[in-house]
């Protein structure tokens, strides 16, 4: 039986197909990597709005089907990023964790950055660099560190499949270690966190993980974990949503209720006319205006609660 996060990731694949971003055959291949047989994968595609018959087996071909060509470069939201550098540091259970570190010259606070379901990419490194340029030293954590790091996966679909297999407890432990490293590198700074898509869900997960060191968090269109209880944190939370992102928006009111119950300072903002992943300037759903507004809302939030 699939976990809630596994289903979320599988639905990402199905919706990419519905929106024409990947072929049906590629969708079935990716769902196969996540452990769905052909009947289950076909049913999921149909449930997400994809009609027609299956275009072959869901098992991987000898050579993976190519992913869509990358979108041409577009101007990202926020300032020009400062450089990041690859770092490693001690993680739980004797593990070594990886990340990208960007140091702010005149630091106002420090932020942990959590990637989407494609692992630690140049886009996420750029987010860390932009935060540093805005005055917040940032560590972009690779949640696939214990598997050799995101760059060790030749097929991006395998990254998503692996993220679906990792227990939530490991994610929480690694994110807590990331906060510890951030605290060590930015001594005396208040700590914040931001995550996107899958990383937004991870941000909600850490908020529910009794983490008292967080002073602020900004989950971007992330799925709320089932039964989330934020009673163990005092973080100020800015929840960012997209109007057309019905799937994630289905958990928005539950997030609001959980924040209210915990008595946290929070705002929920839904950007009109945009879809899931509108902040990612390397993706097909990027919206420059909404992304610029969201970046400024995030920086203003950190300015109020970290600086």
């Amino acid at each position: 039986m699939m976990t809630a996060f596994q289903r979320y990731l599988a639905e990402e694949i199905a919706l990419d197909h519905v929106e024409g971003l990947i072929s049906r055959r590629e969708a079935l291949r990716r769902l196969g990597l996540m452990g769905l047989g052909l009947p289950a994968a076909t049913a999921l595609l149909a449930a997400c709005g994809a009609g027609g018959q299956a275009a072959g087996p869901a098992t991987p071909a000898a050579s993976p089907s190519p992913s869509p060509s990358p979108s041409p470069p577009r101007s990202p939201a926020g300032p020009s990023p400062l450089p990041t550098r690859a770092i490693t540091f001690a993680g739980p259970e004797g593990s070594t964790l990886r990340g990208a570190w960007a140091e702010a010259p005149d630091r106002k606070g420090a932020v942990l950055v959590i990637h989407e379901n494609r692992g630690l990419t140049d886009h996420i490194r750029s987010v860390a660099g932009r935060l540093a340029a805005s005055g917040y030293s940032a560590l972009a954590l690779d949640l696939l560190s214990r598997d050799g790091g995101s760059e060790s996966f030749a097929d991006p679909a395998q990254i998503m499949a692996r993220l679906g297999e990792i227990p939530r407890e490991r994610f929480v432990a690694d994110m807590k270690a990331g906060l510890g490293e951030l605290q060590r590198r930015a001594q005396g700074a208040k700590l914040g966190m931001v995550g996107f898509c899958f990383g937004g869900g991870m941000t909600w997960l850490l908020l529910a993980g009794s983490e008292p060191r967080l002073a602020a968090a900004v989950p971007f269109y992330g799925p709320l974990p089932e039964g989330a209880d934020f009673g163990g944190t005092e973080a100020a939370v800015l929840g960012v949503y997209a109007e057309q992102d019905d799937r994630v928006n289905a958990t928005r009111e539950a997030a609001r209720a959980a924040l209210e119950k915990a008595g946290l300072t929070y705002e929920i903002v839904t950007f009109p006319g945009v879809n899931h992943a509108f902040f990612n300037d390397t993706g097909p759903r990027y919206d420059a205006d909404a992304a610029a507004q969201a970046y400024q809302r995030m920086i203003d939030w950190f300015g109020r609660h970290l600086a």
Side-chain angles (χ1 to χ4, degrees):
M1 183 176 179
M2 300 183 78
T3 67
F5 270 122
Q6 284 175 322
R7 182 164 185 84
Y8 169 78
L9 294 171
E11 288 173 347
E12 291 260 285
I13 296 169
L15 290 174
D16 280 352
H17 168 59
V18 170
E19 295 181 10
L21 304 180
I22 58 175
S23 69
R24 185 178 182 83
R25 184 177 294 277
E26 176 63 8
L28 291 170
R29 185 186 77 84
R30 295 185 184 189
L31 291 170
L33 287 173
M34 295 198 67
L36 273 72
L38 182 57
T42 303
L44 179 61
L45 293 182
C48 290
Q53 299 299 314
T59 52
S63 298
S65 302
S67 298
S69 299
S71 301
R74 287 169 288 182
S75 178
S80 297
L82 295 182
T84 63
R85 63 184 179 90
I87 63 168
T88 60
F89 55 96
E93 302 170 354
S95 64
T96 298
L97 300 184
R98 303 165 182 247
W101 167 250
E103 188 164 1
D106 299 308
R107 189 185 67 220
K108 303 172 186 175
V111 179
L112 184 69
V113 183
I114 305 298
H115 55 72
E116 300 170 326
N117 60 24
R118 290 163 177 79
L120 181 55
T121 61
D122 286 343
H123 164 65
I124 296 299
R125 293 184 185 94
S126 168
V127 172
R130 283 178 261 168
L131 283 166
S134 295
Y136 298 91
S137 294
L139 170 60
L141 176 64
D142 190 344
L143 287 176
L144 289 164
S145 294
R146 301 201 214 183
D147 298 281
S150 298
E151 293 179 351
S152 69
F153 290 79
D155 181 357
Q158 292 176 333
I159 290 178
M160 189 182 297
R162 180 59 187 142
L163 287 171
E165 295 170 348
I166 296 171
R168 297 195 333 177
E169 294 77 14
R170 184 179 120 175
F171 287 136
V172 170
D174 287 358
M175 289 188 289
K176 284 179 177 286
L179 283 181
E181 181 66 11
L182 193 62
Q183 201 169 34
R184 186 184 72 80
R185 289 176 176 271
Q187 293 184 14
K190 290 185 178 180
L191 304 184
M193 182 177 185
V194 61
F196 303 88
C197 306
F198 167 82
M202 291 293 103
T203 303
W204 288 121
L205 183 63
L206 190 57
L207 286 167
S210 298
E211 179 45 73
R213 292 173 293 179
L214 274 179
V218 185
F220 271 72
Y221 31 71
L224 186 74
E226 293 178 356
D229 181 349
F230 304 135
T233 184
E234 296 182 359
V237 180
L238 173 65
V240 176
Y241 293 86
E243 182 184 37
Q244 298 174 2
D245 189 6
D246 294 340
R247 184 170 56 106
V248 172
N249 291 349
T251 65
R252 181 176 49 198
E253 293 312 307
R256 189 191 305 274
L259 292 165
E260 287 276 2
K261 182 178 179 181
L264 298 181
T265 298
Y266 77 92
E267 289 183 14
I268 300 289
V269 57
T270 302
F271 285 86
V274 294
N275 209 332
H276 189 70
F278 72 82
F279 187 82
N280 187 339
D281 53 278
T282 68
R285 303 185 186 103
Y286 179 59
D287 186 286
D289 290 340
Q293 293 176 48
Y295 186 86
Q296 191 58 52
R297 291 288 291 263
M298 173 178 65
I299 293 302
D300 290 346
W301 193 257
F302 287 150
R304 287 163 58 185
H305 302 288
L306 297 185

